[in-house]
Amino acid sequence: MADSKREVERKYEATPETRLPDLTRAAGVSAVVHRGLSELDAVYYDTEDFRLAADSLTLRRRTGGDDAGWHLKIPVSAGVRDEIQAPLTDTLPPDLGELLRSRVRNTPVAPVVRILSARDIHHLLAEDGTLLAELSIDEVLAERLTEEGHGTTSAWTELEVELADDADPAVLDAVERRLRKAGIRPSAAPSKLARALAGTAPGTPGTEKAKAPSPRTAGDHVLAYVRRQVTALVELDPAVRRDLPDSVHRMRVATRRLRSAFRTYRKILDRRVTDPLRDDLKWLAAELGVDRDQEVLDARLRAHASQVPAPLLLGPVSARLKLTSVARRTGSRRRVASVLDADRYLALLDSLDALLADPPLLPAAARPPGDALPRAVLKDHERLARRIGHALERDPGEERDVAMHEARKAAKRVRYAAEAARPALGKPAKKFAKRMKSVQSVLGDHQDSVVARDALRTLAVQAHGAGESAFTWGLLYGREEAAAAERERELPEVWARASRPGLRAALKG
């Protein structure tokens, strides 16, 4: 994988006559050292319809400076981006191409803008000589490379302050105060590319996302929720490919929320269109689950093993857990990577885009949200009530374990349904979702204990076969049994709070 770093910077308007104020008066800055001039030549790439620019991503091939090569910048928050770098080659490196897949699908990227920058560089240093930030004043010339507007140019001057690795972000605030006092104001453009596109072809469609109107009908609210989940799915794709913490879990949650929305609100969105999507989302969630479930299991087993007193920790327990985890995670990571490159996955993303572009709305979609949404949520709640009752009627054992797992899935669906309705229904939906999350948590921990016991039995068999003591594995198994029994005892009380008539009445308004 290409190298990655977190870029934290701020941009300011400037002119060729701009002079820097005394930045040693900024808190923490002891010296400002001029590092000379640098000539940068960057060609920016995008699809014909500017999909990357619409999502505030930038892809460039740059020569000159200390970091010549391919750069992909992915937004994290305002003024913060992850920059993934790859060596300078004639064609787009495959690693970067994979990170673009959820945006561009099978559409090629091509040069759209060339930006030449004459950069005057200054280093802001702490008292001990540590680099705090790099400040540059750039004289910029942008040239349009697309067929429409080819050769059109735009020129400007800007000032950038980029935080050094491990430096305190407060430095940026201190520097900005000095710049503002000198009359230097923040830039209105978030990036050079955005400014270049605006300056060389004003009004080009697709470079900015149109702001969606405020939801009014039940259909509006459901579509807004679906759009948020589709956006999350697309945005998390590069994070999953980079194996960033919690990315697989969040992507899997987005797929589940979409599936739940399509099923819960099938009176609003035509199921003849959404059912095939639900099947594909179920497939994707299952594939992502191979990695995520292993991650959860590993964390649970390690945590419980760490709580075993030393005299009861017999045999190479930690080593066997680590060995098993590495072997399983390696295989699951390869599987996730192949899934995200599969035609079925890319076709699913295209189908979700098509649904949002031309929603299959049914007549109920035009109704007020306070009427249609609570009805759908409460219908799911009734389904959960039946499953909870079925689970509580079963005797402890495998049959109850299966019933509680089915109830868990139903609780998750009710929770997601209430979350989707929250923007329209407000606090009652928020409280309802919170109660459903409590039920889901109890049932989820119970299911995790079921999975952990299966894994512990396998580990015990492996340990015994290798001539190791299986005592500790049996001890952990017993503790998981006790944890499951405790969750079963908790469930009636938690469910009673989540099924109070007043809670459901408040949702109806």
Side-chain angles (χ1 to χ4, degrees):
M1 179 58 69
D3 295 331
S4 175
K5 70 172 185 176
R6 181 60 56 87
E7 177 188 80
V8 183
E9 69 175 13
R10 297 182 186 179
K11 294 180 178 291
Y12 301 87
E13 300 289 349
T15 69
E17 290 73 38
T18 295
R19 297 294 178 265
L20 291 178
D22 182 4
L23 294 178
T24 60
R25 298 181 65 184
V29 179
S30 180
V32 179
V33 178
H34 186 222
R35 303 296 295 177
L37 299 174
S38 180
E39 299 289 335
L40 307 175
D41 186 347
V43 175
Y44 288 76
Y45 289 70
D46 208 331
T47 59
E48 186 178 10
D49 55 355
F50 296 95
R51 297 182 193 178
L52 301 184
D55 280 351
S56 300
L57 274 72
T58 59
L59 172 67
R60 72 186 179 202
R61 181 185 184 274
R62 189 168 78 180
T63 57
D66 297 330
D67 60 349
W70 287 87
H71 303 159
L72 171 63
K73 297 189 179 186
I74 301 175
V76 176
S77 58
V80 181
R81 296 185 291 184
D82 278 346
E83 181 178 303
I84 300 96
Q85 302 178 350
L88 187 64
T89 56
D90 291 336
T91 58
L92 177 65
D95 283 354
L96 297 191
E98 290 175 0
L99 298 179
L100 299 173
R101 194 69 49 76
S102 65
R103 264 85 173 192
V104 305
R105 318 289 161 76
N106 294 313
T107 303
V109 294
V112 294
V113 169
R114 182 184 185 189
I115 297 180
L116 304 175
S117 301
R119 173 164 290 182
D120 190 11
I121 304 171
H122 302 74
H123 282 181
L124 310 185
L125 307 179
E127 187 175 0
D128 62 358
T130 301
L131 178 64
L132 298 174
E134 179 176 285
L135 182 150
S136 64
I137 300 177
D138 294 350
E139 297 287 342
V140 184
L141 175 63
E143 178 187 5
R144 190 79 169 199
L145 301 179
T146 57
E147 182 177 348
E148 183 180 357
H150 188 277
T152 306
T153 61
S154 178
W156 68 90
T157 303
E158 67 180 33
L159 187 153
E160 292 183 358
V161 184
E162 181 175 345
L163 192 69
D165 294 343
D166 302 321
D168 187 347
V171 170
L172 296 181
D173 294 330
V175 170
E176 180 163 311
R177 284 192 288 271
R178 300 306 306 170
L179 293 176
R180 282 180 174 271
K181 193 168 184 179
I184 299 173
R185 296 290 179 258
S187 174
S191 67
K192 282 186 174 67
L193 176 61
R195 187 163 184 168
L197 290 174
T200 59
T204 296
T207 58
E208 293 184 3
K209 287 186 175 179
K211 185 176 180 181
S214 299
R216 300 182 63 182
T217 65
D220 290 341
H221 281 278
V222 171
L223 286 174
Y225 182 78
V226 169
R227 186 173 288 106
R228 289 195 295 272
Q229 307 317 315
V230 173
T231 298
L233 201 61
V234 170
E235 291 182 347
L236 285 166
D237 178 294
V240 171
R241 293 176 188 271
R242 295 166 61 199
D243 199 18
L244 297 185
D246 207 36
S247 58
V248 171
H249 170 62
R250 291 165 60 205
M251 190 176 193
R252 192 183 185 194
V253 168
T255 64
R256 285 176 163 171
R257 283 175 168 154
L258 280 169
R259 284 184 62 220
S260 293
F262 290 154
R263 187 164 183 175
T264 297
Y265 297 109
R266 58 186 180 273
K267 298 291 186 181
I268 292 173
L269 294 174
D270 192 338
R271 63 182 302 173
R272 290 175 296 181
V273 175
T274 60
D275 278 359
L277 295 178
R278 287 184 57 244
D279 291 340
D280 286 339
L281 288 165
K282 182 178 181 180
W283 161 78
L284 179 58
E287 294 292 344
L288 293 172
V290 173
D291 187 65
R292 173 59 183 172
D293 291 346
Q294 187 59 46
E295 182 182 5
V296 171
L297 176 62
D298 291 345
R300 186 181 183 95
L301 295 182
R302 286 196 304 269
H304 288 190
S306 68
Q307 297 169 3
V308 175
L312 302 181
L313 202 61
L314 305 183
V317 173
S318 296
R320 182 167 288 282
L321 279 174
K322 184 175 181 180
L323 181 64
T324 302
S325 172
V326 169
R328 290 179 177 173
R329 288 295 313 278
T330 299
S332 62
R333 287 299 309 160
R334 285 197 298 265
R335 183 167 178 172
V336 167
S338 66
V339 166
L340 297 186
D341 287 330
D343 290 340
R344 184 176 182 180
Y345 167 68
L346 298 178
L348 169 61
L349 296 182
D350 285 340
S351 297
L352 290 170
D353 284 348
L355 179 142
L356 291 172
D358 185 17
L361 297 174
L362 297 173
R367 295 167 64 181
D371 179 17
L373 301 188
R375 184 174 300 181
V377 174
L378 292 175
K379 186 173 182 180
D380 277 355
H381 186 269
E382 292 170 3
R383 177 171 171 267
L384 171 61
R386 291 193 295 271
R387 291 197 178 186
I388 292 285
H390 179 71
L392 294 177
E393 291 170 357
R394 306 276 79 76
D395 292 329
E398 183 176 352
E399 192 175 350
R400 174 178 278 190
D401 291 344
V402 172
M404 291 186 71
H405 182 45
E406 291 301 312
R408 176 199 185 187
K409 291 188 286 186
K412 194 175 298 185
R413 178 172 154 186
V414 182
R415 173 193 166 191
Y416 292 158
E419 288 175 349
R422 180 180 170 184
L425 306 183
K427 288 184 179 180
K430 179 181 179 180
K431 186 174 182 180
F432 198 89
K434 185 178 180 180
R435 288 282 189 261
M436 294 307 109
K437 185 177 180 179
S438 298
V439 175
Q440 177 192 331
S441 295
V442 171
L443 293 168
D445 193 59
H446 182 275
Q447 176 61 18
D448 287 347
S449 76
V450 173
V451 174
R453 276 178 278 160
D454 286 342
L456 288 167
R457 185 181 184 283
T458 299
L459 288 164
V461 170
Q462 292 173 347
H464 179 74
E468 302 163 7
S469 172
F471 173 83
T472 303
W473 304 114
L475 176 66
L476 291 172
Y477 188 99
R479 290 186 175 185
E480 288 289 0
E481 278 190 320
E486 179 62 25
R487 300 294 84 76
E488 291 175 15
R489 287 191 291 270
E490 286 179 24
L491 180 58
E493 182 179 349
V494 173
W495 172 242
R497 290 196 298 268
S499 55
R500 288 173 180 167
L503 190 67
R504 287 172 287 170
L507 192 67
K508 294 179 182 178

